[in-house]
Amino acid sequence: MIPPLDDLIGDWLDRGALAHLPSLRNQWGQAHVNDDLTSLSWLAMPPYSGGYHTGVLRVDGRAVRADRLRWAPWGVRRAGAASGLTVETDTRLGYEQHAVHWRTRLVNRSAEPVTVTVEQELHAPIADSPVDWGWLYGTPWSAGHHHDYYTTERIRAEVLAWVPRHVHLLATDPRWLRLGSPRIPGIQRDEDTAPMLLESELPDHSTSDSGRTRAPSALGTVRGVTVLPDSGTPVVVDGEFELTDPATERRLEPVALGPDTVLRLEFRPAADGQTGVVLTHGNHPDSVQLGLTDGRPWLRIAGEHVTAGPPLRAGQWHLLSVRITGDGAELSVDGTHGAWTQPWWGAQRWTSTVSGAQVVVTDRHSPAVSVYAFAEAPDELVPHGGGAVARWTCTVEPDATVELGVVLAISSDRDRSVHVAEEAATGFAGAFAAVADRWRSTWTSAFTPGNTEFSGHLPVLHDAPAGLARTYHLGVLLAIYLRNTGVSPIGPVFLTGGPRLGPTTTYFWDQSEWAHTAAMLEPTGTRAWIVAALSQPYDRCHSFDTRNLLPVGNHYAANDHALFRTVQAYLAVTGDLDLLAEKAGTATVLDHLRALAYRPRERRATFGGGVLVDFGRDAWELLECVPNYRDAVVSFNAGYAGMLRSLATLLRRLAAGAPGADLNEEADRADADAAELTAAVLGQYAGGGRWNIAHPEGDETIGHVLDFVFVAAELAEHLSEDMRAEMIQFVTGHLLDGDWMRALAPDDPIAPRSDRPDHGAAGAFGAWPGATAYGLCRLGRPDLATDLLSRIHASTSGAVWGQAMETVGGGRFRVAERGVANRDSLAGAAATEAILVGLFGLPAGSAAGGHVPGIGTLHHVRVPQPSPHPRHPAR
């Protein structure tokens, strides 16, 4: 039977047990909760994007810490203590609305009445943006619109401060000083050769419509570059440096700019009235940057921009100085104070007015209008900077509760924002409850034939062991949670992750991890996604913005296999061969499949026998943080071998309905090429379940789950009994660990240099336990797959699986926060895929086998089903 959605909400968890705080979603947008009781950051409901945070709850003047948190699909509850009361909040995004609802409860469990002053900050730094919806999507700042990951994270960490500070200006990590034209800002490596542990570095993954372009260098001469820390030894860069071309970029040396550090330099402009950049500290969005506009000097830092003094004079030396403190950043010119940055919560960009019992916040740079309304009118409602503060004086009797309700509505029409906020606030209890009810209805629809919510439905799992059933349903819930029905012109889409990233983005690879399940649940949406994805330049990007249908990021070696298998899964589930003749871009879907499968001929290695595909040396195209996983790796080579074989099968199927076509000859060639590549892949077996990477300088052994996953999925029938047994032993003995697994064997020589908790030895990516379970089924061990799939639900940190799941010891894992890992990751739906395709063998003809005794039965199955007496490969 279908479990009630309420059975899948998380338990109350202590803050100390969580590395990554929960997210919020509403089928239109996403947000991240913070360490206090009410504020949200990373609020994005396209076309609306929020910066900074939405405001902190204070009781008797103190921000209240969230000591415990509990996630549900419809919202997040946070609880803390203040002034003798228990304070509990529940925050929900209005279902398929541009709205947020907050409920605050003050609970008195003492024997005496307690009177407190409750203050709710009401910030709405929100913009309406039709563009810049890449993986690193744009967020609004006092001066500008761009993705500034670490500035936002510093602000999030500051929500419990006794006195608000300008903490977002204080980037204290060492960065290279650069003169001249700066690199395009993003979360990116400071140098192309820098390590890739995702602590602070990632390529810029914005879209082409973001407007972020490389600024020119100001022309002139720089000297006397000096960093004066508050304590310690000054850093002096000797010499004069000529900036003679707008494209000039000159790297000096790395320095840290801590609190009260002074950075100064002398600059002699080559001409009057210039516009360009003189110096940048690093190449991040929050970097200190000095430059000129029409000759006037300016300072840019962490979303702030100030200009000081008259234009600099050509041929004359001018002293430019920056001092950064907890109260702001100061720009001085020729020894004279020029300008200070202002508080982000001030009225720099957003203005607020109090109208009756509502607060209206207007963005000067976009049409966005945000309105706060209240279920209980505040005793005071005071404008404050770009927002307001609502105050209630509450007396809570013994064993009693006082409840407050706040609504935020956003649109580009003031009247609409006012109406939506007022209506929800007036009927707050009903509107609040309706959010959860709508989630429950959507959940039931996912398993109901003929429902009006999805174009398909998923099988109902009956009589399964409790652990396996919970994993199955959590995978389904994860997909529904990451579904967005309002963002894309192609219809409903399943976003890849977030909420700090990608409110419109889908990755090709992640979509493929649950491709059969997606085609069962949303066949119409999957078909539209396939056509849109194949219309992208997938040989040059890893994902696309589903809102404006633009490519995002660098190329992934996994793209060909991911797209091919997604199409193949859709065809297997739906039988919709008409898709093959449909145009996606300039080619038919069938021609895309040919191109995807035949990429090996274009990239054959000049080493290792000349058959394997060479994936090059850019680690960003492969596993990003495993520095030796490059060149001719086994995983994707096995993928190409399987794709060629599958292409041959498809061509013969088409040939049967098209007499006289040359498809059978083409199929024979694909089979021959597949056999050649399969032999080359098997020749890379290193023994002990591990595989060799072919480098130009020779082979190197590695123990990574990706090799196991691809070889087991694509080449199981070509493995010897010993190889099967050794691969199984390697996975169970080196990678599987309690509730989860590790992507890289901890005893691998490269493990110390690959510390990321998704791709390295510290944990594993959200998809890989499911993919590993599927591989175990392919190798004849569905029992081991069942055991694994029955455990991994315990690692969700009270919600659903994230991008990176890190070990905390003793076989326990949690959703990782460090670096830029996603709290939610669609790839975790691979667990449900492994149950349906690996254990139950859906659809008929899938490579895994079929139904395993003792795991329950599936009902309402609308895809071809396997034989009731399947035969797995021998153990």
Side-chain angles (χ1 to χ4, degrees):
M1 63 181 292
I2 307 169
L5 184 55
D6 295 66
D7 288 356
L8 296 179
I9 66 176
D11 296 326
W12 279 104
L13 295 176
D14 290 341
R15 173 65 182 92
L18 292 169
H20 207 147
L21 293 178
S23 65
L24 292 167
R25 292 182 181 270
N26 70 343
Q27 305 285 293
W28 277 11
Q30 58 192 39
H32 219 310
V33 306
N34 297 330
D35 271 314
D36 64 309
L37 292 188
T38 56
S39 75
L40 302 177
S41 294
W42 299 112
L43 177 63
M45 294 185 278
Y48 305 108
S49 177
Y52 306 104
H53 67 69
T54 57
V56 171
L57 179 79
R58 290 185 168 85
V59 175
D60 290 339
R62 296 297 298 265
V64 186
R65 179 186 301 275
D67 296 322
R68 299 181 302 133
L69 300 97
R70 189 181 195 188
W71 173 89
W74 50 80
V76 176
R77 296 167 68 184
R78 289 173 270 184
S83 299
L85 299 175
T86 296
V87 185
E88 182 184 311
T89 64
D90 194 339
T91 309
R92 303 178 180 182
L93 304 184
Y95 195 99
E96 292 186 332
Q97 291 182 325
H98 298 122
V100 187
H101 300 180
W102 288 269
R103 185 184 67 191
T104 298
R105 284 177 168 165
L106 309 173
V107 183
N108 182 4
R109 294 189 171 92
S110 72
E112 300 294 331
V114 177
T115 299
V116 294
T117 298
V118 178
E119 295 181 324
Q120 177 64 64
E121 293 179 338
L122 305 167
H123 299 312
I126 294 168
D128 179 338
S129 179
V131 298
D132 197 11
W133 289 103
W135 186 237
L136 274 66
Y137 68 98
T139 62
W141 301 92
S142 296
H145 191 91
H146 56 268
H147 196 93
D148 197 337
Y149 188 92
Y150 286 99
T151 297
T152 303
E153 289 300 290
R154 288 195 295 274
I155 291 169
R156 289 185 67 213
E158 187 74 0
V159 292
L160 295 172
W162 172 245
V163 177
R165 301 179 300 162
H166 298 239
V167 66
H168 59 300
L169 307 178
L170 299 171
T172 57
D173 53 308
R175 300 177 183 178
W176 289 95
L177 292 173
R178 298 178 184 275
L179 301 179
S181 177
R183 297 186 175 194
I184 297 173
I187 312 173
Q188 55 190 358
R189 289 175 286 178
D190 205 54
E191 287 297 310
D192 292 336
T193 56
M196 296 166 289
L197 298 181
L198 286 193
E199 294 305 323
S200 61
E201 319 293 355
L202 186 74
D204 177 46
H205 292 337
S206 59
T207 47
S208 57
D209 63 359
S210 68
R212 294 196 274 281
T213 58
R214 188 161 184 165
S217 170
L219 305 184
T221 306
V222 177
R223 72 181 183 189
V225 178
T226 305
V227 177
L228 300 169
D230 182 46
S231 61
T233 305
V235 176
V236 180
V237 181
D238 295 326
E240 293 188 2
F241 305 94
E242 300 290 338
L243 304 178
T244 59
D245 186 276
T248 297
E249 177 193 356
R250 185 74 176 267
R251 193 184 75 176
L252 302 181
E253 58 184 272
V255 298
L257 300 180
D260 291 312
T261 294
V262 175
L263 169 64
R264 70 186 186 194
L265 60 85
E266 290 184 87
F267 181 61
R268 183 176 63 196
D272 289 328
Q274 290 192 71
T275 295
V277 175
V278 177
L279 177 143
T280 307
H281 179 232
N283 64 322
H284 300 64
D286 61 0
S287 292
V288 172
Q289 193 171 87
L290 291 168
L292 309 175
T293 297
D294 297 329
R296 295 187 65 197
W298 51 256
L299 162 67
R300 179 178 290 120
I301 177 174
E304 303 294 332
H305 182 105
V306 294
T307 302
L312 304 186
R313 299 293 299 275
Q316 296 184 14
W317 288 104
H318 296 273
L319 177 64
L320 304 179
S321 177
V322 178
R323 182 168 67 94
I324 307 166
T325 76
D327 296 318
E330 178 188 27
L331 171 63
S332 298
V333 181
D334 292 329
T336 302
H337 166 72
W340 270 96
T341 59
Q342 299 299 309
W344 68 262
W345 55 87
Q348 298 183 68
R349 172 171 175 174
W350 292 273
T351 57
S352 64
T353 58
V354 173
S355 177
Q358 295 182 337
V359 177
V360 180
V361 181
T362 304
D363 180 18
R364 289 193 182 100
H365 298 166
S366 83
V369 180
S370 305
V371 174
Y372 282 99
F374 310 93
E376 301 77 23
D379 298 317
E380 293 182 86
L381 192 53
V382 181
H384 179 69
V389 175
R391 293 189 181 92
W392 296 264
T393 299
C394 302
T395 298
V396 188
E397 299 296 332
D399 296 319
T401 298
V402 170
E403 185 170 299
L404 305 173
V406 179
V407 176
L408 169 64
I410 307 159
S411 80
S412 295
D413 178 273
R414 179 189 174 110
D415 291 343
R416 175 169 176 76
S417 295
V418 168
H419 172 73
V420 171
E422 185 177 64
E423 184 177 54
T426 300
F428 183 81
F432 197 75
V435 175
D437 288 342
R438 182 63 193 279
W439 274 100
R440 295 183 183 107
S441 174
T442 299
W443 171 251
T444 302
S445 293
F447 301 94
T448 303
N451 70 86
T452 58
E453 185 78 28
F454 302 91
S455 58
H457 67 273
L458 290 174
V460 176
L461 179 60
H462 276 281
D463 300 325
L468 189 70
R470 187 167 183 87
T471 293
Y472 174 74
H473 291 109
L474 278 175
V476 177
L477 176 57
L478 172 59
I480 297 172
Y481 190 59
L482 283 160
R483 177 173 172 256
N484 193 299
T485 61
V487 74
S488 178
I490 69 175
V493 293
F494 296 88
L495 303 177
T496 292
R500 300 186 293 188
L501 300 162
T504 69
T505 303
T506 58
Y507 278 61
F508 309 129
W509 196 354
D510 297 66
Q511 189 76 17
S512 73
E513 299 286 7
W514 70 299
H516 292 88
T517 310
M520 295 180 209
L521 178 62
E522 191 65 83
T524 301
T526 299
R527 193 184 203 278
W529 184 90
I530 287 170
V531 173
L534 291 176
S535 299
Q536 297 296 315
Y538 51 78
D539 58 342
R540 301 194 303 276
C541 64
H542 53 46
S543 60
F544 69 104
D545 160 29
T546 61
R547 185 169 186 82
N548 294 318
L549 304 182
L550 293 173
V552 175
N554 54 278
H555 175 252
Y556 270 4
N559 287 358
D560 291 347
H561 184 269
L563 288 165
F564 189 100
R565 289 308 186 202
T566 300
V567 176
Q568 184 183 31
Y570 171 80
L571 296 177
V573 168
T574 66
D576 178 18
L577 292 180
D578 289 343
L579 172 65
L580 296 173
E582 184 158 338
K583 281 287 190 73
T586 59
T588 66
V589 172
L590 178 57
D591 284 338
H592 280 289
L593 293 181
R594 289 182 170 111
L596 294 167
Y598 266 100
R599 199 82 65 189
R601 288 189 175 275
E602 303 172 14
R603 303 178 65 176
R604 289 196 180 205
T606 58
F607 50 88
V611 175
L612 295 172
V613 185
D614 178 11
F615 296 99
R617 307 224 115 184
D618 185 352
W620 288 107
E621 293 206 15
L622 288 100
L623 284 179
E624 297 176 345
C625 73
V626 185
N628 65 335
Y629 203 82
R630 55 188 186 178
D631 303 323
V633 297
V634 157
S635 55
F636 300 121
N637 270 288
Y640 279 118
M643 291 155 63
L644 287 165
R645 198 166 281 112
S646 295
L647 177 64
T649 299
L650 177 60
L651 292 171
R652 291 193 179 96
R653 181 180 177 186
L654 296 175
D662 294 329
L663 296 179
N664 282 314
E665 293 181 12
E666 184 183 353
D668 291 342
R669 290 195 300 272
D671 267 337
D673 290 335
E676 181 186 37
L677 187 53
T678 296
V681 170
L682 298 181
Q684 292 298 105
Y685 187 60
R690 304 183 194 231
W691 296 83
N692 284 323
I693 306 169
H695 298 299
E697 57 272 21
D699 285 355
E700 179 180 16
T701 302
I702 194 167
H704 200 280
V705 65
L706 207 60
D707 292 337
F708 172 86
V709 162
F710 273 78
V711 171
E714 303 291 355
L715 305 180
E717 293 84 356
H718 302 274
L719 300 172
S720 69
E721 293 298 326
D722 287 345
M723 292 171 74
R724 284 199 191 108
E726 290 171 4
M727 287 175 64
I728 292 167
Q729 180 57 43
F730 168 71
V731 166
T732 56
H734 294 269
L735 301 185
L736 301 187
D737 182 9
D739 298 335
W740 199 249
M741 67 182 301
R742 301 169 191 265
L744 178 67
D747 62 351
D748 196 281
I750 203 66
R753 297 175 58 198
S754 182
D755 186 44
R756 253 176 61 177
D758 55 353
H759 296 175
F765 179 52
W768 287 340
T772 298
Y774 178 80
L776 289 169
C777 290
R778 290 278 288 142
L779 297 182
R781 294 303 304 270
D783 56 326
L784 295 176
T786 301
D787 289 344
L788 173 60
L789 291 167
S790 297
R791 297 193 306 268
I792 61 175
H793 64 84
S795 61
T796 57
S797 299
V800 287
W801 295 289
Q803 170 189 334
M805 312 293 291
E806 64 184 1
T807 178
V808 294
R812 294 177 54 248
F813 286 73
R814 65 183 181 183
V815 179
E817 194 275 343
R818 62 193 176 98
V820 291
N822 290 287
R823 179 55 187 86
D824 313 320
S825 178
L826 180 64
T832 298
E833 180 90 346
I835 293 171
L836 292 175
V837 183
L839 297 182
F840 283 95
L842 297 181
S846 67
H851 181 229
V852 179
I855 61 170
T857 58
L858 294 178
H859 294 241
H860 297 164
V861 180
R862 292 189 61 189
V863 300
Q865 298 186 57
S867 162
H869 303 290
R871 295 182 61 187
H872 287 278
R875 296 182 182 178

